[in-house]
Amino acid sequence: MVSEQTVTSAQIWDWLEAVPDPEIPVISVVDLGIIRYVDVDSELVKVTITPTYSGCPAMSVIAMDIETELSKRGVSNLQLETKIAPAWTTDWLSEKGRARLEEYGIAPPQAAGGPERCPHCQSVKVDKVSQFGSTPCKAQWRCQDCLEPFDYFKCI
Amino acid sequence: MSGEINHLLEFLLRQGDNTLVLGHRTSEWCGVGPALEEDIALANTALDLIGQTQLWLGYAAEVEGKNRSANDLAFLRDPYDFRNVLMMEVPNEDFGRTLMRQFLFDAFQVPWLTELQNSTNQRVSEIAAKSLKEALYHLERSRETVIALGDGTEESNKRMQATLDYLWPYTGELFGEDTTDQAMSAQGIAPVPSTLKNAWKTLVSRAFSEAYLKAPESDFAHSGGRTGFRHTEHLGHMLATMQTLQRSYPGATW
Ligand SMILES: [Zn+2]
């Protein structure tokens, strides 16, 4: 049992690194950039989350996973808050998260609006198949060289 | 107080009911889209719209102060309590009409939400900023698809023109102006929608010229949805499906 007085916000951030995005489990909720603040005082640990897409069904699972992880670490008095402003942007993805996405086969977001290269063979000859994909945060693309389809993490 | 209109509540219901009714209509495509990619795109668009609805109606429920939730407002109100524009409730008909309607709405929603970001009401401005990102993405797709279908085959062009002729008289209601609009404008919460008409017209005209489509000349506009005065017969049928579970098993959760 961790006494609330001894836990630091740095520790909480560290523990949140162990909570994966349920839809893209190679990155953590911290990499995804949805954890905005962690406030720790003598009584309470407060974690503020900004949702990715307003209708993203993963958000309630994420909240539950955070609760489970932190209670496993002994945090008994947790308050989860949702904050929609400023709106989440893919600029908040961590560098580590971007690299992990690419290793996993998902092209990371680019300001130009499309993937920089195929995550499988690094070819730059890529085409859009659909502006949307298997989850709200992704679009479908394909590679003209290796002919493989791949997900692209939409830039918003 | 009774009998007096709560203008902020009316305004919020108009926002949330537009996204709710369009979101539900769009979700009717789930599993029956013309191609897998389109099916997924439609489902994702619907999801965004329903997510925006939760924000608008969640705030509406707070402003109403009757201890109701966004879910209560969505699933337990009757047709005449809805404040969406009529265009949202007409049936999907086919893929062309669905995407044309989406485009006509997105082309309104983008400049509208852009303005609402500057609202003096912080909640309104936050919801607008969040929704705008999604609306911009929707506009990109609906615009491209309208152009692709208009500038497609003879058949697709003919059907898109027919759908534009059908939907056009429903667009005027987006630019209504009544006491609620004036109250919102006076408080700096939202501009009067009619002030956005030129921006919208420019946006849609440009796409129509690329799509080889011609917007009708007539300014005749069906109305009655955003005031709740008179909805089309279609809304009741749609709500009968959408609300059946909560009506049959009140308070059911899963
Ligand atoms: Zn490749």
Side-chain angles (χ1 to χ4, degrees), chain B residues 162-223:
Chain B
T163 214
L164 176 55
D165 294 344
Y166 175 82
L167 289 174
W168 191 255
Y170 287 101
T171 58
E173 197 184 10
L174 290 165
F175 305 98
E177 178 173 351
D178 63 9
T179 53
T180 291
D181 299 310
Q182 284 154 1
M184 291 300 98
S185 167
Q187 295 170 52
I189 293 175
V192 173
S194 54
T195 57
L196 294 177
K197 183 130 195 192
N198 284 336
W200 176 83
K201 234 176 175 165
T202 308
L203 221 160
V204 298
S205 308
R206 226 177 268 153
F208 292 152
S209 73
E210 280 185 61
Y212 298 95
L213 297 172
K214 202 173 169 302
E217 306 269 317
S218 167
D219 270 342
F220 169 76
H222 296 293
S223 62

Side-chain angles (χ1 to χ4, degrees), chain B residues 53-121:
Chain B
T53 304
Q54 285 176 328
L55 300 173
W56 288 121
L57 293 189
Y59 184 29
E62 283 174 42
V63 168
E64 187 192 44
K66 289 187 183 163
N67 212 13
R68 296 205 282 182
S69 66
N71 277 340
D72 294 335
L73 293 180
F75 293 117
L76 300 175
R77 279 180 305 152
D78 293 315
Y80 45 79
D81 293 326
F82 275 72
R83 295 292 183 266
N84 56 284
V85 295
L86 300 175
M87 184 166 76
M88 302 309 172
E89 64 201 47
V90 299
N92 290 332
E93 183 73 14
D94 59 14
F95 183 67
R97 189 197 281 178
T98 304
L99 265 293
M100 178 63 85
R101 165 168 57 194
Q102 186 72 43
F103 172 61
L104 294 169
F105 180 61
D106 292 340
F108 169 76
Q109 204 68 343
V110 164
W112 175 243
L113 294 170
T114 303
E115 291 285 335
L116 291 190
Q117 288 186 110
N118 306 321
S119 176
T120 52
N121 180 309

Side-chain angles (χ1 to χ4, degrees), chain A residues 52 54 85 88 131 133 154, chain B residues 40 44 130 133-134 137 141:
Chain A
T52 52
S54 52
W88 179 79
Q131 223 180 337
K154 284 155 45 173
Chain B
I40 290 170
N44 273 291
K130 179 79 200 145
K133 289 186 162 218
E134 294 163 0
Y137 203 78
R141 167 170 175 271

Side-chain angles (χ1 to χ4, degrees), chain A residues 59-70:
Chain A
M59 294 315 297
S60 55
V61 178
I62 289 175
M64 222 158 63
D65 290 349
I66 290 174
E67 271 180 40
T68 309
E69 181 64 28
L70 294 186

